[in-house]
Amino acid sequence: MFTGIVEEIGAITDVAPSGDGVRLTVRAPKAVSDAAHGDSIAVSGVCLTVVDRGDDWFTADVMKQTLDMSTLAGVDAGDAVNLERALSATGRLGGHIVQGHIDGTGEVLEVRPGDRWRVLRIGLPPELAPLVVDKGSIAVDGVSLTVSAAGDDWFEVSLIPETLAATTLGRRSAGDRVNLETDILARHVQRLLQVGATDTTEGGSR
């Protein structure tokens, strides 16, 4: 489990084919400072497992399903990524509950600068739109954010200077793709409603 509070901006240093997936090597001095084999680290919102590590780097395998669902399919050496270690039992939940299980990707449609902040409008896949609400939580490239506006096929987030400086979102421009993870509570409610509707239609009970 993660909180969506990015700890450092790391960098992809190698992308090696591994079966139908890839093995990534990531420069991550802070993230590996107390990491061990098998630990979880979120890479731009995607929960990956450490399979090897050095003083300032780690490697992780990315399966085909994850590549199909996320922007990790297009990363190259030198690309910047947001990094967060898994939440410890005694840690603070500063953002919101983030699993590191990406729902899909969205496209940055517009970047509107302000005096000290920036607004990103991001396009939504149709299946995710019902899960995104105004003032609700969403993780974009692993960053916990509050939705500041929502339409039928888009939503907006407002980025403060700290977020712009401490995450890769400050480098985003129109046309970029980003990883999206919707609120887990919204997903559970949607599933409960779907199951309830099915039971009612079929005349069943639980």
Side-chain angles (χ1 to χ4, degrees), residues 96-179:
H96 70 283
I97 296 173
V98 178
Q99 294 181 295
H101 302 162
I102 300 302
D103 293 312
T105 63
E107 180 182 348
V108 177
L109 302 177
E110 181 184 2
V111 179
R112 298 199 308 274
D115 291 337
R116 289 180 51 79
W117 66 89
R118 198 170 300 166
V119 176
L120 267 60
R121 176 171 288 198
I122 299 172
L124 268 174
E127 65 273 17
L128 299 187
L131 303 175
V132 179
V133 297
D134 188 25
K135 304 304 184 289
S137 296
I138 192 166
V140 179
D141 276 351
V143 184
S144 173
L145 297 169
T146 300
V147 176
S148 55
D152 292 338
D153 57 359
W154 57 266
F155 69 95
E156 291 182 350
V157 289
S158 300
L159 309 180
I160 62 174
E162 174 64 19
T163 303
L164 293 172
T167 77
T168 60
L169 295 184
R171 313 177 189 191
R172 292 299 178 209
S173 57
D176 288 348
R177 299 206 67 79
V178 291
N179 293 321

Side-chain angles (χ1 to χ4, degrees), residues 1-201:
M1 182 186 297
F2 306 91
T3 70
I5 304 299
V6 171
E7 296 184 285
E8 68 176 326
I9 297 178
I12 303 293
T13 60
D14 187 60
V15 182
S18 179
D20 60 357
V22 298
R23 174 166 286 194
L24 298 180
T25 302
V26 184
R27 183 180 181 278
K30 186 172 185 178
V32 301
S33 61
D34 61 352
H37 181 89
D39 282 354
S40 296
I41 297 176
V43 178
S44 288
V46 181
C47 179
L48 298 180
T49 300
V50 175
V51 296
D52 195 9
R53 58 150 293 183
D55 291 339
D56 66 350
W57 58 269
F58 73 94
T59 60
D61 292 319
V62 187
M63 68 178 68
K64 183 179 184 300
Q65 181 184 20
T66 303
L67 294 175
D68 291 341
M69 291 285 293
S70 74
T71 61
L72 293 185
V75 295
D76 292 312
D79 287 351
V81 288
N82 295 321
L83 300 175
E84 181 190 355
R85 290 169 291 184
L87 177 67
S88 67
T90 58
R92 297 180 185 274
L93 188 60
H96 70 283
I97 296 173
V98 178
Q99 294 181 295
H101 302 162
I102 300 302
D103 293 312
T105 63
E107 180 182 348
V108 177
L109 302 177
E110 181 184 2
V111 179
R112 298 199 308 274
D115 291 337
R116 289 180 51 79
W117 66 89
R118 198 170 300 166
V119 176
L120 267 60
R121 176 171 288 198
I122 299 172
L124 268 174
E127 65 273 17
L128 299 187
L131 303 175
V132 179
V133 297
D134 188 25
K135 304 304 184 289
S137 296
I138 192 166
V140 179
D141 276 351
V143 184
S144 173
L145 297 169
T146 300
V147 176
S148 55
D152 292 338
D153 57 359
W154 57 266
F155 69 95
E156 291 182 350
V157 289
S158 300
L159 309 180
I160 62 174
E162 174 64 19
T163 303
L164 293 172
T167 77
T168 60
L169 295 184
R171 313 177 189 191
R172 292 299 178 209
S173 57
D176 288 348
R177 299 206 67 79
V178 291
N179 293 321
L180 302 177
E181 181 183 334
T182 56
D183 188 2
I184 185 175
L185 297 179
R187 298 200 303 272
H188 276 300
V189 170
Q190 182 186 61
R191 177 58 176 165
L192 287 169
L193 291 173
Q194 289 172 342
V195 172
T198 300
D199 285 349
T200 300
T201 301

